[in-house]
Amino acid sequence: MTDEFPPLKNDLILRAAWGQETERAPVWVMRQAGRYLPEFRKLREQHDFFELCQSPELAKQVTLQPIDRYPDLIDAAIIFSDILVIPQAMGMEVLMNPGPVFTKPLEVPEDVQNLQTVGVAERLQYVYDAIRLTRTQLLGRVPLIGFCGSPWTLMSYMIEGGASKTLQKSKTWLFKYPDQSKALLELITTACIDFLVGQVEAGAQLLQVFDSNAGDLSPHDFKEFSLPYLTSIAEGVREQLQQRGLQLVPLTLFAKGASPALAATAKYNTISLQWTVDPRDKAIPRDVILQGNLDPVVLYGGKHAIEREVKRVSAEFRAARPTSGWIANLGHGITPGVDPDDLKWFFECVHKYSEVKRNQE
């Protein structure tokens, strides 16, 4: 697989994710190919959101937009897609209007039998095609990240029918139908494993799982309804990669709002931290790599605030991981109103203040 793509010129994020000390922190941001970019908004005027996801050529264009805009400043690309492509591949209709809307969400456990659970990974071929195309067009500038949503987060969307502040419907399933909920989580877990392995087979060099709704569960419920399936994904992906003779890739987990110490037990190489977490927290195991975690709203505070906060966060992460790499990122996705020049300044400040020699002087 590696021979079909241009040689990699910047492996900084891969070295950090494998626990190696790096000369500075590699940096990328979640949703870096998105609405804050005028070139993305222009493309969206002509194409539906899921059309961008499902067209390999368009997905490649969007993925490369931040890499082209910020040359030598970003250390990874992340394939343009959406966590809800798995429910779509299971036969559920999802519209973006403007947020995600399921036209026929799951209402009772009996509805699960209507899901198309065979051939899910194959119906996501357009993602693999986009990854291959993007890897080629990246010309080895930076590694490419693949991703999926977590089983619990996907299940909650499939039941709620869209975003929800309370997750009342999906959490009711957990308490009222615990066994059926676990059966559904198992089905989604299998789809996630196959999908992630397919992304590596297509050329993804690092994988991230987004458990965006992890913080809506109590620690007890997270351990029962999310953590086992997250762990199964990490174990299953590694096992299948080895069985297929594919090179192992680093795995990152972003369990938003969950205890990072708990999330660290899921056996991922890297744990991405929300901005509410101090990376120096001694409850986080020392052998896990950290990613994060600037508050995304700092990007609205002007250059002085951005520089001050990046300097502070860099010092905290370096104190937390003095002998291994860490990955700079935001504590969640970048929001649409950010000025692209302010994001550029964020990247430049990370390069400056995460540099090891500078912090040792």
Side-chain angles (χ1 to χ4, degrees):
M1 181 192 71
T2 56
D3 292 339
E4 72 178 274
F5 301 116
L8 185 60
K9 302 171 185 176
N10 175 357
D11 67 347
L12 197 66
I13 193 170
L14 299 181
R15 287 190 280 130
W18 285 122
Q20 300 172 24
E21 187 171 5
T22 55
E23 53 271 26
R24 63 167 176 82
V27 60
W28 68 285
V29 299
M30 291 177 270
R31 297 182 187 153
Q32 66 187 22
R35 289 177 290 170
Y36 74 99
L37 289 175
E39 53 266 43
F40 176 83
R41 295 195 298 271
K42 184 176 181 180
L43 206 56
R44 272 289 277 121
E45 291 173 0
Q46 307 164 41
H47 302 282
D48 174 78
F49 177 83
F50 283 114
E51 183 185 353
L52 294 180
C53 295
Q54 293 166 2
S55 164
E57 174 61 31
L58 292 173
K60 180 264 297 182
Q61 286 184 41
V62 176
T63 302
L64 294 180
Q65 283 177 347
I67 307 303
D68 293 336
R69 177 179 273 266
Y70 305 112
D72 302 319
L73 287 177
I74 304 182
D75 296 297
I78 181 166
I79 194 66
F80 184 78
S81 185
D82 192 87
I83 64 170
L84 300 181
V85 297
I86 286 181
Q88 284 180 325
M90 288 180 155
M92 302 188 77
E93 184 180 34
V94 187
L95 306 176
M96 200 61 77
N97 188 30
V101 177
F102 285 68
T103 58
K104 194 175 180 182
L106 304 177
E107 295 184 359
V108 292
E110 288 73 22
D111 292 340
V112 173
Q113 66 187 4
N114 298 323
L115 295 176
Q116 301 169 19
T117 56
V118 177
V120 173
E122 288 76 9
R123 287 190 286 276
L124 293 167
Q125 183 63 44
Y126 62 87
V127 178
Y128 312 143
D129 292 342
I131 287 173
R132 287 192 179 90
L133 191 57
T134 304
R135 269 293 302 270
T136 300
Q137 293 296 313
L138 272 170
L139 301 174
R141 285 177 285 176
V142 293
L144 180 61
I145 301 171
F147 71 93
C148 75
S150 75
W152 157 242
T153 291
L154 293 179
M155 172 183 164
S156 62
Y157 270 100
M158 292 161 72
I159 295 171
E160 299 291 341
S164 168
K165 290 185 178 180
T166 63
L167 299 185
Q168 178 180 324
K169 295 177 182 178
S170 52
K171 289 174 72 174
T172 295
W173 271 51
L174 303 183
F175 302 128
K176 192 173 185 179
Y177 315 116
D179 292 339
Q180 295 94 325
S181 294
K182 290 176 181 178
L184 176 56
L185 289 165
E186 288 283 2
L187 290 174
I188 300 171
T189 297
T190 298
C192 288
I193 293 170
D194 292 343
F195 183 40
L196 290 173
V197 171
Q199 291 183 64
V200 175
E201 203 164 26
Q205 295 152 289
L206 189 151
L207 297 173
Q208 179 155 322
V209 176
F210 289 86
D211 196 357
S212 307
N213 293 341
D216 291 284
L217 299 176
S218 69
H220 173 273
D221 294 326
F222 178 74
K223 284 188 282 188
E224 186 165 359
F225 294 107
S226 186
L227 185 60
Y229 307 98
L230 293 169
T231 304
S232 292
I233 289 174
E235 294 175 341
V237 166
R238 292 186 179 112
E239 182 179 350
Q240 284 202 27
L241 290 178
Q242 289 177 326
Q243 288 176 352
R244 298 188 190 191
L246 296 171
Q247 187 174 356
L248 293 179
V249 301
L251 306 178
T252 299
L253 172 61
F254 181 41
K256 182 177 180 287
S259 158
L262 259 183
T265 65
K267 302 181 181 179
Y268 288 70
N269 303 84
T270 300
I271 297 298
S272 196
L273 303 180
Q274 195 175 353
W275 67 90
T276 54
V277 176
D278 189 329
R280 298 166 295 183
D281 184 347
K282 295 188 183 303
I284 305 173
R286 299 288 292 180
D287 60 347
V288 70
I289 307 305
L290 301 180
Q291 175 176 275
N293 70 336
L294 190 78
D295 187 332
V297 178
V298 170
L299 297 179
Y300 293 94
K303 286 192 171 183
H304 178 72
I306 293 170
E307 182 170 13
R308 181 188 68 237
E309 292 304 300
V310 168
K311 184 177 181 180
R312 175 186 62 79
V313 168
S314 295
E316 290 178 355
F317 273 87
R318 188 57 66 188
R321 294 294 183 271
T323 60
S324 63
W326 60 280
I327 301 167
N329 206 312
L330 302 178
H332 197 242
I334 186 171
T335 51
V338 170
D339 185 326
D341 288 337
D342 288 329
L343 182 62
K344 180 182 180 183
W345 180 243
F346 164 73
F347 290 139
E348 291 172 343
C349 289
V350 170
H351 281 237
K352 177 180 179 181
Y353 290 107
S354 71
E355 205 270 322
V356 173
K357 291 182 180 178
R358 180 176 297 275
N359 285 338
Q360 291 177 344
E361 290 174 356

